Amino acid sequence: MMSYIFHNQLKENLKAGKTQIGAFITAPCPEVVEVLGVTGYDFVILDTEHTASDIETVVAMMRAAEVYGMTPVVRVPDDTPKNISRYQDVGAYGVQVPMVHTAQQAAAIVRAMKFAPEGERGMSGGRGTAWGRIEDYRRVSNLETLIAVMCESRQGVDNIEEIVRVPGVDAVFIGAFDLSQSLGVAGQTQHPVVEEAIAHVLAVCWQAGVIPGIVAPGVELARRRIQQGFRYVTILDDMAFFADSVAQRLKQVKEG
């Protein structure tokens, strides 16, 4: 019987200090994932929090990423343990959990994602295990799966020192849009009060050896975030980028 290897290149590269560039995928469309893979993106975050993507479509998108050596991470709808482990069971290489406000919440997420003795994840023999053909899957999954928590509230920023000390948390990803709303400047993702919070979270992550991530749409912003020290960076949202591109093309043709 053939055996298969579960290896997370994204996590390895991030732990080695390499910058990894990805995109949020909101369209339930494997072809979008394929285009990014062909182009050379390092990872995609498949969003199930704010989108119509169901789990069958997410599996198809994960396959599209794997074909091109691109790492699929799933942003789950919430921190419910069953939601978290279900996406691991179908093959997510990483899980990103929104709205993590406290260390207690982060610890519960780690327990949901890891098998005993580190956690309480339920056993499965499905796609994530290559239907039982990944040797020592429980140990390997505990080591290889990327655990990313999202800091996108004032409370999360206030508690970031405790959150990064939770064993098992690999990355903290800043959701600047929700953070701006929580800080009272909704939509102003580069407002000084937001930038101050971002800088604080970044510094705490570096001090704790936790991977700092952020959403950074736009070329100049992405370059600036990388220069600041962010290593896990999404530089576009597929449908937002598409909407902007088609609007610009139409305007150019009409004005030409």
Side-chain angles (χ1 to χ4, degrees):
M1 181 175 71
M2 290 184 64
S3 62
Y4 293 84
I5 296 172
F6 174 29
H7 175 64
N8 191 336
Q9 191 63 52
L10 171 65
K11 184 171 179 177
E12 178 182 312
N13 289 344
L14 288 170
K15 292 290 188 182
K18 297 179 181 179
T19 299
Q20 300 290 276
I21 296 175
F24 266 100
I25 305 298
T26 61
C29 181
E31 287 79 8
V32 170
V33 175
E34 285 188 296
V35 169
L36 292 171
V38 169
T39 308
Y41 281 69
D42 298 305
F43 68 94
V44 284
I45 299 176
L46 309 175
D47 187 15
T48 66
E49 183 188 12
H50 297 300
T51 73
S53 295
D54 58 26
I55 196 163
E56 291 88 353
T57 305
V58 169
V59 170
M61 292 194 285
M62 287 193 289
R63 289 193 182 107
E66 291 169 337
V67 165
Y68 295 100
M70 188 170 57
T71 303
V73 177
V74 176
R75 176 163 72 173
V76 292
D78 53 42
D79 63 354
T80 307
K82 185 54 67 178
N83 265 338
I84 292 171
S85 63
R86 190 180 185 206
Y87 283 99
Q88 289 180 272
D89 290 343
V90 298
Y93 284 59
V95 172
Q96 188 156 304
V97 183
M99 293 293 177
V100 177
H101 309 300
T102 68
Q104 291 78 11
Q105 187 183 2
I109 290 164
V110 172
R111 289 195 300 273
M113 289 187 65
K114 288 185 179 290
F115 292 109
E118 291 94 336
E120 302 166 353
R121 180 181 166 193
M123 300 286 289
S124 167
R127 181 178 187 273
T129 73
W131 288 275
R133 285 166 173 77
I134 295 177
E135 294 182 3
D136 199 10
Y137 173 75
R138 294 188 300 277
R139 181 188 65 82
V140 172
S141 178
N142 281 2
L143 289 173
E144 295 287 342
T145 304
L146 180 75
I147 301 177
V149 300
M150 295 193 69
C151 179
E152 43 191 347
S153 68
R154 182 188 298 273
Q155 187 181 9
V157 174
D158 290 344
N159 292 323
I160 193 63
E161 290 90 347
E162 291 75 28
I163 291 171
V164 297
R165 289 201 293 266
V166 173
V169 170
D170 297 307
V172 171
F173 188 95
I174 299 173
F177 288 98
D178 279 322
L179 180 58
S180 71
Q181 178 173 248
S182 180
L183 293 174
V185 289
Q188 301 180 59
T189 58
Q190 298 178 62
H191 187 282
V193 70
V194 180
E195 290 289 349
E196 182 180 357
I198 287 172
H200 175 62
V201 173
L202 175 63
V204 171
C205 285
W206 272 102
Q207 185 176 18
V210 170
I211 299 155
I214 197 166
V215 56
V219 174
E220 293 306 318
L221 179 59
R223 287 174 175 167
R224 179 158 66 87
R225 295 304 188 204
I226 291 168
Q227 289 172 351
Q228 285 176 314
F230 286 97
R231 293 291 172 261
Y232 175 49
V233 182
T234 59
I235 64 172
L236 62 87
D237 170 303
D238 58 343
M239 292 308 294
F241 185 78
F242 176 69
D244 288 344
S245 297
V246 296
Q248 182 181 19
R249 179 64 57 88
L250 181 61
K251 180 180 179 182
Q252 289 171 340
V253 171
K254 284 186 172 182
E255 293 178 350

